[in-house]
Amino acid sequence: MNRKLRAIIYFALMGTFFVSTFSCIQEDEPLEEPRGTITGTVTDSEGQPIADVSVMLAGVGEEEVTVTTGSDGKYIFENVTLKTRAVKFSKAGWLAVSLTVNPEKFNSENIATADVSLVFASAKISGIIKDGKNGDASLEGVTVTVGVAGTVTTGSDGVFLLENLIVEDYTVTFTKANYETVTRNVSEADFVDGVANLEVIMGSSEILRGLTYADLQAAEKWYYNEYRGGRNADAYPRWDWACNYMSALDFRGAWQEQNEGTTLQIRNSEDDRSNPADLNVFDSYVYGSKLITEDNKIMSLRISTHNTDEANPAYFGVQVVDMSEAQPTAVKIGENRTYASGSYGDVEFDLSDYVGKEVIIAVGIYRQSTGDYYKQLVLRAIRFADRKVENWDWLPGTEVVEGWKLTQETVSSTMPHTKNSFTGISPVSGNRDNYVDAYRAWRTVDHVASEWFFVPLKKDPEVFPSEGYLIKTRNTPEVSTIVPEAYLYSKFSISSGSNQLTLSTRNFGDNFTYFKLTAIENDGTVTHLDPQSNTADEASAAEDGTWKFKHGDGGAGNPEGYSSFVYDLAQFNGKDVTLSLGIYNAEANSGENKLVIHRIDLN
């Protein structure tokens, strides 16, 4: 009996041991990650399946896997972890596409569907990259990219080929260690028989700090004779933040938009303090390409400074690069200047030597000594005329229409615009306290406020409405259909194929908005234009060439809702014509009547 009892106790203890041991083993084993399937179908623009597409699956910490679509265009990845994964689709002759599959895209059965439509793409960008540091020899090891559409690296022959593209605009970036990064813009017009060719020189000698001859060939145009910066409304509305767009220009180095103006600064970051003291090479500067004529040969800067005194002034100046020279160099206009006051002053630079030429003009601040970190040159205005411009004065000359403040000299020396499509929709919003990023974003979309010149005679604009750039009237008893409250202007070379202007617009409320499109020829001839057609709810001709209209539809999400006014410019074929679009207060005390500029297109 005792032996039986002992046996029972023994087996009971052993059972407890095995259960405990098994439980420990179960607890120590890691839980297996849930897994699922990513699948989909690849089709063309007509919905037909595309076979032999390479589909690559990648993710952080995950091994890359590639499969190929079958004749039905289908692909499948099985037994994949439910993590964020990138799926890239590529095939010769088709534009590469990438998709992201997040864990949320997996259904209850752990299946994620990622279908894609590919665009046939047979265009190419090709070229050769030369080494400016070594006698223009072929440059190996340059990374050439057009973003998701492709990246390649040059071999020993310096040749590159980006394939599987569609014919559209691209920004191509060239990078290599110890070389200044180079970017080139390729437009649709650059493709000939589906191929765009580029020749790029990297590492060639700088003409302005960080910019080579090739860089300066692509300099932005300074079409107009005045650029303004700052936020303080010293002579409202003309000197208000909503009217001053200097920060949309191409600044290099350290700069900042401030209340007083757009400031050029001695570079002060840890990376830039290594710039040596140099009174011949700008530390920071703004530049552009400008046609000089007898009517705009005197350049005036309205300036002040920060962190200076008479013993330690800011050193600044103007340099010109004549790109037509055999060996273009940066030439100083006169001697270096100094300024050491927080009050505004006006200085002039004579550009007479360049009359008849389009040249690169740079305005910059010099680092006078090591440790010279905090000086700032405040640019309130950059102005061009046939004489020095001072104070807050309008540009001098003979007005084309009395009260417009637009002179015949300004019209004749304004450069014809090279673009023909402009938007009023700002890709980044802003307000009086935070607008610089928005203004800078205008540079990438051809925004009308940065590409045309805005003249706030009596009223400032609304810069960031979602409907578009907005000019408006005052709520005033002062009535005029001759002098606008505000207007924009730009010059164009009119010819067959670019002699029709379409204004996409709307207004608000029950009141009529009165506006006018005016053409001004270089000899001062003024023609007020009537639209040949319009789609407004209500529109008709009014006094002195103005048109009045009502149309409340249209918005950023409803571009088809805007009204359009179409103008025939064929009478100006073969001429350079300045076009002005203005808003007029034709009815007394009628509130702020508004003209929304959604788009302006010449075709």
Side-chain angles (χ1 to χ4, degrees):
M1 181 68 181
N2 289 336
R3 282 164 43 190
K4 287 182 179 180
L5 181 59
R6 285 198 299 271
I8 291 170
I9 294 171
Y10 171 78
F11 285 115
L13 291 172
M14 289 301 293
T16 301
F17 170 77
F18 284 122
V19 170
S20 300
T21 303
F22 181 75
S23 298
C24 290
I25 293 173
Q26 289 290 86
E27 290 176 1
D28 291 342
E29 287 184 355
L31 295 175
E32 187 174 348
E33 287 186 284
R35 292 178 177 268
T37 299
I38 298 176
T39 185
T41 304
V42 183
T43 57
D44 61 20
S45 59
E46 297 180 353
Q48 297 300 309
I50 306 175
D52 300 323
V53 177
S54 177
V55 188
M56 184 185 72
L57 181 71
V60 178
E62 301 285 344
E63 184 178 351
E64 293 182 357
V65 182
T66 301
V67 298
T68 304
T69 59
S71 59
D72 57 359
K74 294 186 180 297
Y75 70 93
I76 187 169
F77 295 100
E78 297 182 299
N79 198 33
V80 300
T81 56
L82 307 190
K83 296 180 179 179
T84 298
R85 312 294 286 270
V87 188
K88 183 174 182 178
F89 305 83
S90 58
K91 181 178 179 177
W94 298 81
L95 189 66
V97 172
S98 291
L99 297 177
T100 300
V101 176
N102 298 316
E104 295 77 13
K105 293 186 177 180
F106 288 88
N107 62 21
S108 59
E109 297 178 351
N110 286 352
I111 297 175
T113 301
D115 297 330
V116 71
S117 177
L118 298 186
V119 176
F120 186 69
S122 59
K124 304 174 183 178
I125 300 175
S126 65
I128 185 170
I129 304 175
K130 297 181 178 180
D131 187 354
K133 296 181 179 180
N134 295 289
D136 291 346
S138 299
L139 188 56
E140 183 178 4
V142 178
T143 300
V144 187
T145 181
V146 285
V148 70
T151 297
V152 296
T153 303
T154 59
S156 58
D157 58 1
V159 172
F160 69 92
L161 179 63
L162 294 160
E163 299 182 282
N164 306 330
L165 305 175
I166 60 176
V167 176
E168 64 176 13
D169 296 343
Y170 292 95
T171 297
V172 188
T173 303
F174 304 85
T175 57
K176 180 178 173 66
N178 300 318
Y179 285 78
E180 188 84 17
T181 296
V182 173
T183 59
R184 291 287 180 270
N185 293 321
V186 176
S187 68
E188 292 184 20
D190 294 325
F191 288 90
V192 178
D193 296 328
V195 180
N197 289 301
L198 294 175
E199 181 178 305
V200 177
I201 300 176
M202 298 184 68
S204 58
S205 299
E206 293 181 345
I207 299 177
L208 295 171
R209 186 184 294 279
L211 297 179
T212 65
Y213 176 82
D215 297 320
L216 293 177
Q217 282 185 309
E220 295 173 0
K221 307 283 189 182
W222 283 5
Y223 297 104
Y224 308 105
N225 285 344
E226 185 171 19
Y227 295 93
R228 305 172 302 228
R231 187 173 64 176
N232 289 340
D234 299 276
Y236 179 84
R238 189 164 181 251
W239 293 99
D240 186 62
W241 73 274
C243 311
N244 295 349
Y245 305 136
M246 189 188 292
S247 61
L249 297 180
D250 197 346
F251 283 81
R252 298 301 172 108
W255 67 278
Q256 186 179 45
E257 185 75 2
Q258 298 181 356
N259 287 348
E260 296 82 358
T262 312
T263 64
L264 290 169
Q265 306 169 338
I266 300 298
R267 302 190 193 197
N268 191 34
S269 70
E270 293 296 333
D271 294 335
D272 288 332
R273 286 188 176 185
S274 59
N275 280 353
D278 195 329
L279 289 177
N280 294 307
V281 178
F282 290 136
D283 203 62
S284 299
Y285 59 96
V286 58
Y287 78 106
S289 184
K290 179 73 174 170
L291 175 64
I292 306 303
T293 74
E294 288 290 344
D295 290 327
N296 66 4
K297 64 186 178 183
I298 303 300
M299 179 184 189
S300 301
L301 303 180
R302 186 153 182 79
I303 62 171
S304 65
T305 59
H306 294 318
N307 302 317
T308 63
D309 54 40
E310 290 188 5
N312 296 284
Y315 288 76
F316 70 99
V318 171
Q319 296 185 11
V320 171
V321 182
D322 184 352
M323 299 293 283
S324 67
E325 295 286 345
Q327 294 292 330
T329 59
V331 177
K332 289 183 180 181
I333 303 302
E335 299 298 321
N336 289 348
R337 308 290 184 91
T338 61
Y339 202 79
S341 174
S343 299
Y344 293 114
D346 299 286
V347 294
E348 62 180 302
F349 296 84
D350 189 347
L351 304 175
S352 298
D353 289 344
Y354 301 98
V355 168
K357 291 185 176 183
E358 183 174 340
V359 294
I360 304 298
I361 297 177
V363 180
I365 187 171
Y366 297 104
R367 186 190 296 264
Q368 186 268 338
S369 61
T370 302
D372 189 9
Y373 298 142
Y374 298 102
K375 294 174 183 175
Q376 301 179 16
L377 177 71
V378 181
L379 295 175
R380 187 63 186 206
I382 302 173
R383 297 179 282 195
F384 298 86
D386 59 0
R387 70 203 78 166
K388 183 179 181 180
V389 185
E390 298 182 282
N391 301 315
W392 309 112
D393 296 346
W394 297 93
L395 295 182
T398 303
E399 288 186 86
V400 293
V401 178
E402 187 176 355
W404 280 36
K405 305 302 182 183
L406 177 62
T407 69
Q408 185 171 328
E409 292 83 357
T410 296
V411 168
S412 65
S413 57
T414 294
M415 297 169 61
H417 216 298
T418 58
K419 301 174 182 178
N420 56 17
S421 291
F422 310 91
T423 182
I425 302 292
S426 184
V428 177
S429 189
N431 55 47
R432 189 181 193 280
D433 297 319
N434 183 19
Y435 60 85
V436 178
D437 289 344
Y439 286 9
R440 297 294 288 176
W442 291 350
R443 294 161 51 83
T444 64
V445 296
D446 297 334
H447 193 278
V448 66
S450 64
E451 298 291 347
W452 289 48
F453 189 84
F454 178 63
V455 184
L457 288 174
K458 301 179 181 182
K459 186 62 179 172
D460 58 341
E462 292 182 23
V463 185
F464 301 119
S466 60
E467 295 85 1
Y469 187 78
L470 190 155
I471 60 177
K472 57 189 179 180
T473 66
R474 299 164 294 161
N475 182 24
T476 176
E478 181 184 343
V479 173
S480 178
T481 51
I482 296 176
V483 178
E485 298 281 281
Y487 64 96
L488 299 102
Y489 72 86
S490 188
K491 181 184 283 188
F492 298 93
S493 297
I494 307 301
S495 62
S496 178
S498 61
N499 57 11
Q500 177 178 281
L501 182 144
T502 301
L503 168 65
S504 175
T505 186
R506 60 166 290 180
N507 67 352
F508 302 92
D510 297 327
N511 293 334
F512 281 105
T513 292
Y514 290 75
F515 73 101
K516 187 189 305 184
L517 182 70
T518 300
I520 308 167
E521 299 177 45
N522 282 342
D523 63 3
T525 301
V526 175
T527 305
H528 302 304
L529 302 173
D530 290 325
Q532 65 177 10
S533 65
N534 75 86
T535 61
D537 293 338
E538 297 181 57
S540 61
E543 296 80 8
D544 300 313
T546 61
W547 272 68
K548 63 179 184 179
F549 84 105
K550 293 180 184 179
H551 188 92
D553 199 8
N558 179 27
E560 298 82 7
Y562 293 95
S563 64
S564 63
F565 288 79
V566 180
Y567 296 84
D568 183 4
L569 306 176
Q571 62 181 301
F572 304 109
N573 280 356
K575 296 181 178 181
D576 290 342
V577 176
T578 297
L579 298 177
S580 164
L581 178 63
I583 187 168
Y584 295 78
N585 194 59
E587 298 180 14
N589 301 317
S590 56
E592 288 188 342
N593 297 309
K594 302 177 180 182
L595 178 70
V596 173
I597 301 174
H598 168 236
R599 290 198 60 82
I600 299 175
D601 296 285
L602 274 80
N603 49 45

